Amino acid sequence: MKPRALLAAAVMPAFCLLIPMYAVAEKADRKEKILINAVDGDADHAKGFYKLEKAVVITQGTLKLTADRGTAQTTPDDNYNAVLNGKPVCFRQRTDNGDWAQGVSDRADYDSGKGIVELFGNAVLFIGEDQTVANYIIYNTQTSKYEARESKARTSEGKGVSFVLQPREKDESAPAEKSPDSTAKPVVKKPVVKSATPPKRNEPAFSRCA
């Protein structure tokens, strides 16, 4: 990855951008069991409702959510919805192409059935090395698309959003144009390398879900 980055900044209030990231969440995570941990918790097992306090950690495969407090509600189709608060809440999940999605915010809502993460307040999201900063970010792990704006309802005015987009490496495996005197070489695709742990960020907040 080249060190220089392309910075795109927008200061318009309630600015919104929809970008396909081509980094779909790891499909194997959906088959993993859900683990919910906290220092204190109240549970209504019949209703599938859990109230969590202190050192909240929810994991499912490579997915990890950490927070100071929150609630989790299971659904009849074996999914769950979580509302988490903290300073900060941290989200991470590996993608099928080996990159990591990593986000922090003051609050996070997660719908495991739809694969949607909503980050509210002081939100920062990394997909690989591409960075988005906004007050509100919604990221769909299943379609690899996200939106960033000042507020969910598009009513607030503020600092707007900023994007740092790293240059893409050229695909060396792409076949070159044939010349009359050339011999075609077989195309060899680079294998997907999946790191067991997400990259370390300079921002201390990301250490919560390392």
Side-chain angles (χ1 to χ4, degrees):
M1 188 67 68
K2 297 179 182 178
R4 292 195 304 172
L6 170 64
L7 174 63
V11 294
M12 296 173 61
F15 182 87
C16 171
L17 184 68
L18 181 64
I19 301 178
M21 296 302 297
Y22 307 104
V24 181
E26 190 156 275
K27 296 181 179 65
D29 288 346
R30 303 174 200 173
K31 300 178 181 179
E32 297 290 335
K33 61 184 176 182
I34 301 165
L35 299 176
I36 302 175
N37 293 282
V39 173
D40 296 317
D42 296 327
D44 186 332
H45 192 67
K47 295 181 179 179
F49 180 80
Y50 303 85
K51 183 179 180 182
L52 311 165
E53 295 285 346
K54 301 177 183 178
V56 178
V57 181
I58 299 175
T59 58
Q60 185 179 19
T62 67
L63 170 73
K64 186 176 183 180
L65 295 157
T66 61
D68 297 328
R69 62 191 181 280
T71 60
Q73 174 71 63
T74 59
T75 61
D77 56 357
D78 294 327
N79 290 299
Y80 66 96
N81 299 311
V83 178
L84 304 171
N85 293 276
K87 294 293 184 180
V89 177
C90 193
F91 154 82
R92 74 154 205 214
Q93 187 173 30
R94 190 168 60 193
T95 68
D96 270 342
N97 67 1
D99 286 333
W100 284 85
Q102 298 169 276
V104 292
S105 59
D106 297 336
R107 169 187 155 192
D109 292 3
Y110 180 62
D111 183 329
S112 71
K114 297 178 180 178
I116 291 178
V117 182
E118 293 181 273
L119 304 176
F120 298 83
N122 300 305
V124 180
L125 176 67
F126 279 93
I127 309 294
E129 295 303 316
D130 290 344
Q131 180 186 24
T132 300
V133 180
N135 200 47
Y136 172 79
I137 300 173
I138 179 170
Y139 170 55
N140 189 321
T141 67
Q142 296 180 6
T143 65
S144 72
K145 295 181 180 180
Y146 73 93
E147 294 181 44
R149 51 183 181 261
E150 186 58 33
S151 66
K152 183 174 182 177
R154 296 186 174 93
T155 56
S156 301
E157 295 185 3
K159 298 178 181 179
V161 304
S162 67
F163 305 92
V164 180
L165 309 177
Q166 297 288 348
R168 299 291 186 261
E169 293 182 355
K170 292 183 179 180
D171 185 0
E172 302 295 339
S173 66
E177 293 184 5
K178 297 180 181 179
S179 64
D181 299 328
S182 66
T183 302
K185 295 182 179 180
V187 175
V188 179
K189 293 185 178 181
K190 294 181 179 179
V192 175
V193 179
K194 294 186 177 182
S195 171
T197 57
K200 293 183 179 180
R201 302 293 177 190
N202 291 330
E203 296 86 342
F206 285 95
S207 64
R208 295 195 69 176
C209 58

